[in-house]
Amino acid sequence: MTPKQRRLLARILAGGALFLLAQLAPLAGLSRAALFLVPYALAGWDVLYRAVRNIRSGEIFDENFLMAVATIGAFALGEYAEAVAVMLFYQVGELFQGYAVGRSRRSIAALMDIRPDYANVERGDGLEQVDPEQVGVGDVIVVKPGERVPLDGTVLEGASTLDTSALTGESLPRDVACGDEIISGCVNLSGALRVRVTHPFGETTVARILDLVENASSRKARAENFITKFARYYTPAVVGGAAALFVLPSLAFGNWTEWFRRALTFLVISCPCALVISVPLSFFGGIGGASKRGILVKGSNYLETLAEAGIVVFDKTGTLTRGSFDVTAIHPNEVPPEDLLEMAALAELLSDHPISRSLKAACRRDLDRGRVRDVTEIAGEGVQARVDGRLISAGNGKLMDRVGAPWHDCHRTGTIVHVAADGRYMGHVVISDTVKPDAQQAVRTLKEAGVRKTVMLTGDSARVGEAVGTQLGLDEVRAQLLPAQKLEQIERLLGERKGREKLVFVGDGINDAPALSRADIGIAMGAMGSAAAIEAADIVLMDDQPSKVATAIRIARRTLRIVRQNIVFALGVKAVVLLLGAMGLANMWAAVFADVGVSVIAILNAMRALRTRNL
Ligand code: ADP
Ligand code: MG
């Protein structure tokens, strides 16, 4: 409990005790009223204060107003005990809400734990502990065992294992050694590391994630907007109804105190607290629960849309496959194999594409940046660069056609990287990728989760595409697509949606940002590396397991189910009790019990959205 909640609890307990004493006191008339006024003020002063403040700012009709009018009215009728009890119960409900909101927020904030407190920077001969924001690119920091990695960087010295669980929700530690890239937010488990910083703090993975999480609650779901609008019309309507309930029958039948009492009861019952709090709380819980599993949802509207996912489109490389290729064959035309590989690796020197990274890793020679100039990357085709003065093109058949190199296909299966020098065909490197261990399960669980169609789009050759598609059991595969054509495919599939069905695109963020933003929902994975992915996507998977897509959909569906249950339950009970109140069958006690009871049940139901362990 927070100090504020503890204070509220103390007020409720003290108010309750004084209330009992007042009940027992043998007083009558005004002195009795004064006696009850003490616990009333103790329990309800903040409600009264907020009601007055809201009236001054013009936003009259909220639950504070309802409570203030109803309880002051009860006092006026001489129902002191009811007035105090109503206020006490109301505050119990408030306390409960505060606690529930706090718990959801904390589970989202558990992710906030990734915020590093300090960095040990090498300055002169010693280490200096500074705020991570004050560390510049190129500075060398030391991360000791047990410390959190404060900034993204490259390991210069040392070897260790990193606990990435705060970022990914996965407990498997990752080994790192000299030369590896490490990411802020992980915890260093075993050895000390010297790290050269590669990004300023504001651009680190941690900073981006924190930003994302902090803004998550500002993007509202339709259901939430509905509730806000609903409350805006509902409360004045209820106040009007209460006024009518008092005035009209009193004029017709007389007995105005009885009708006044019924009108007040009606007001207390009508407070839509359960609804107003439980719907956002459910979404909040869903987002919190998802983040525990390494799934970052940028807003509750995305959760709402994801729940209706009917078509899921995957990118291939880096999404369904590992994106770390092994060189399986080198078929040069005129130069030794190592030269061909070096040529390709040099041309790829500045590219971040998975193919490029793999070629560079396979090349055992030192790659001298000074030999490379004029690099252009042609998305979906390959790269071109001047290496030692010659124009080297490395990529697929399309790129070879572009430079007019007479290429030929290879009998080997795998992704073929053709190489041309000044338009002359130099041969090709065959590389092959493996599907991720959970890719097959990912496709199967999507079907189980009720997704109608799974599709894979790839820029790779039809042969590789078909092979992967069959292995994984995808419904449709489209190959040899340029990024623009991937977008066309997305448009076509958007046209195939039935009813309220939504289209989800899942990519690794490398040259598929347009597709990520065109789809109804863009999911980027492996966000630990790619900043672009975090920007373009609506949902970010911290690790790179495609099976988390189905998990995300299940979390979204369950959250929406809970939201719907709460709306129906709260409105249903409310309607019944309102009717009973108007007919004089429910008194103020019953009204408050109903309201607090419905709130508490709805809140407990909303809290279920937080639990995602077995989804
Ligand atoms: P995917 O759709 O499988 O993610 P991309 O659209 O990133 O693939 O790339 C499509 C194809 O373009 C690759 O299969 C490859 O043939 C070629 N290509 C793209 N970038 C490069 C690169 N940097 N080096 C070599 N080939 C590349
Ligand atoms: Mg790709």
Side-chain angles (χ1 to χ4, degrees):
M1 262 201 241
T2 63
K4 203 170 145 207
Q5 287 164 349
R6 233 173 275 135
R7 272 201 301 279
L8 182 56
L9 180 63
R11 276 170 53 204
I12 293 172
L13 291 178
L18 288 175
F19 169 67
L20 287 181
L21 283 180
Q23 284 280 58
L24 298 176
L27 290 177
L30 270 186
S31 46
R32 187 172 154 81
L35 204 56
F36 275 103
L37 218 45
V38 180
Y40 176 74
L42 187 63
W45 63 266
D46 54 339
V47 174
L48 299 178
Y49 170 75
R50 281 197 296 267
V52 172
R53 193 189 53 194
N54 288 349
I55 290 174
R56 271 211 231 109
S57 61
E59 294 161 19
I60 302 171
F61 298 118
D62 67 352
E63 73 260 31
N64 295 304
F65 177 78
L66 291 180
M67 292 312 297
V69 171
T71 52
I72 291 172
F75 254 101
L77 287 172
E79 314 245 1
Y80 314 128
E82 276 84 346
V84 178
V86 162
M87 201 51 105
L88 281 172
F89 278 131
Y90 176 74
Q91 295 288 35
V92 169
E94 286 289 291
L95 183 65
F96 217 90
Q97 283 168 14
Y99 180 69
V101 170
R103 258 200 58 186
S104 302
R105 185 164 287 148
R106 260 197 304 287
S107 99
I108 293 175
L111 239 146
M112 299 291 200
D113 268 355
I114 59 178
R115 186 191 288 285
D117 301 322
Y118 61 89
N120 308 313
V121 190
E122 286 186 0
R123 295 259 159 90
D125 307 327
L127 284 182
E128 206 179 306
Q129 224 177 57
V130 302
D131 191 315
E133 297 191 26
Q134 288 166 2
V135 182
V137 173
D139 282 354
V140 176
I141 57 171
V142 174
V143 188
K144 298 175 198 160
E147 287 183 339
R148 196 171 288 283
V149 178
L151 295 128
D152 297 359
T154 317
V155 178
L156 296 176
E157 208 180 305
S160 180
T161 41
L162 296 183
D163 173 4
T164 61
S165 60
L167 293 172
T168 61
E170 299 302 318
S171 45
L172 203 68
R174 207 183 106 201
D175 292 322
V176 292
C178 200
D180 287 343
E181 303 282 326
I182 63 172
I183 283 157
S184 51
C186 306
V187 175
N188 185 6
L189 292 177
S190 44
L193 295 170
R194 278 184 77 223
V195 177
R196 183 178 301 286
V197 174
T198 51
H199 294 96
F201 182 76
E203 287 170 26
T204 53
T205 311
V206 158
R208 279 171 209 277
I209 291 168
L210 290 175
D211 200 47
L212 188 160
V213 173
E214 274 162 11
N215 289 321
S217 53
S218 64
R219 294 192 188 82
K220 295 264 184 289
R222 282 194 307 274
E224 279 176 275
N225 288 330
F226 161 73
I227 295 302
T228 315
K229 268 205 213 96
F230 175 82
R232 201 177 303 146
Y233 294 108
Y234 173 83
T235 318
V238 161
V239 173
L245 187 60
F246 168 51
V247 176
L248 300 180
S250 308
L251 289 180
F253 314 114
N255 194 5
W256 67 272
T257 42
E258 174 55 24
W259 290 110
F260 190 55
R261 182 173 302 125
R262 283 194 201 176
L264 290 179
T265 313
F266 185 86
L267 271 186
V268 177
I269 310 168
S270 65
C271 174
C273 315
L275 204 59
V276 169
I277 183 74
S278 72
V279 169
L281 188 64
S282 308
F283 279 112
F284 214 52
I287 294 178
S291 67
K292 278 200 214 155
R293 300 288 304 272
I295 301 165
L296 298 186
V297 183
K298 285 193 182 175
S300 37
N301 53 336
Y302 302 122
L303 218 48
E304 197 172 38
T305 312
L306 187 66
E308 294 169 345
I311 304 179
V312 177
V313 183
F314 288 97
D315 182 45
K316 179 181 75 86
T317 314
T319 305
L320 287 174
T321 66
R322 282 180 200 274
S324 73
F325 297 79
D326 293 321
V327 170
T328 52
I330 304 177
H331 298 154
N333 266 7
E334 21 193 279
V335 292
E338 298 80 53
D339 286 0
L340 185 72
L341 186 59
E342 186 189 47
M343 215 181 274
L346 280 169
E348 299 270 11
L349 201 60
L350 299 180
S351 166
D352 244 349
H353 197 276
I355 293 182
S356 156
R357 274 188 253 137
S358 318
L359 287 176
K360 284 179 281 191
C363 179
R364 265 178 238 105
R365 297 189 189 161
D366 265 346
L367 299 171
D368 175 9
R369 189 172 283 223
R371 295 168 63 187
V372 186
R373 279 186 299 117
D374 305 339
V375 183
T376 34
E377 181 145 9
I378 303 162
E381 295 188 12
V383 291
Q384 286 187 315
R386 247 173 224 293
V387 177
D388 302 333
R390 289 201 296 174
L391 180 69
I392 305 294
S393 311
N396 53 20
K398 288 201 193 101
L399 185 67
M400 294 300 108
D401 292 340
R402 186 190 284 268
V403 296
W407 60 283
H408 58 85
D409 212 351
C410 184
H411 59 283
R412 290 247 194 178
T413 30
T415 302
I416 320 284
V417 181
H418 300 282
V419 183
D422 287 331
R424 243 175 104 92
Y425 189 56
M426 304 300 285
H428 50 247
V429 181
V430 185
I431 54 184
S432 71
D433 195 1
T434 43
V435 301
K436 288 184 185 168
D438 68 328
Q440 205 162 358
Q441 180 206 345
V443 176
R444 201 187 56 235
T445 48
L446 278 178
K447 289 276 166 188
E448 285 164 9
V451 168
R452 183 170 61 85
K453 187 169 184 175
T454 53
V455 183
M456 181 177 83
L457 303 179
T458 178
D460 210 339
S461 69
R463 208 154 48 141
V464 176
E466 288 300 336
V468 174
T470 325
Q471 187 184 350
L472 299 184
L474 291 152
D475 295 322
E476 193 180 310
V477 173
R478 297 287 164 126
Q480 275 173 312
L481 301 170
L482 295 174
Q485 292 171 316
K486 284 190 190 173
L487 216 52
E488 280 165 27
Q489 292 293 328
I490 301 265
E491 296 288 349
R492 176 181 63 81
L493 290 162
L494 280 170
E496 279 184 18
R497 285 172 305 176
K498 290 181 187 155
R500 298 170 63 87
E501 235 176 41
K502 296 295 185 313
L503 182 138
V504 181
F505 179 81
V506 191
D508 63 352
I510 293 180
N511 71 39
D512 40 37
L516 281 174
S517 43
R518 183 65 190 92
D520 293 321
I521 291 282
I523 302 185
M525 59 169 54
M528 291 181 61
S530 157
I534 301 187
E535 300 284 313
D538 306 315
I539 294 177
V540 177
L541 305 183
M542 298 306 296
D543 52 21
D544 50 10
Q545 300 179 359
S547 56
K548 284 282 176 68
V549 176
T551 310
I553 292 179
R554 278 196 296 262
I555 290 175
R557 296 233 162 110
R558 213 229 352 225
T559 305
L560 264 290
R561 222 165 28 239
I562 292 173
V563 166
R564 260 179 247 124
Q565 286 163 0
N566 276 348
I567 292 181
V568 170
F569 173 64
L571 286 184
V573 172
K574 205 109 274 195
V576 170
V577 184
L578 272 178
L579 212 64
L580 292 179
M583 298 191 311
L585 296 176
N587 61 15
M588 204 173 277
W589 292 89
V592 172
F593 266 124
D595 190 53
V596 175
V598 171
S599 294
V600 168
I601 292 171
I603 289 169
L604 286 177
N605 194 28
M607 297 293 280
R608 286 197 307 132
L610 257 176
R611 282 200 295 272
T612 52
R613 196 147 342 120
N614 35 25
L615 277 183

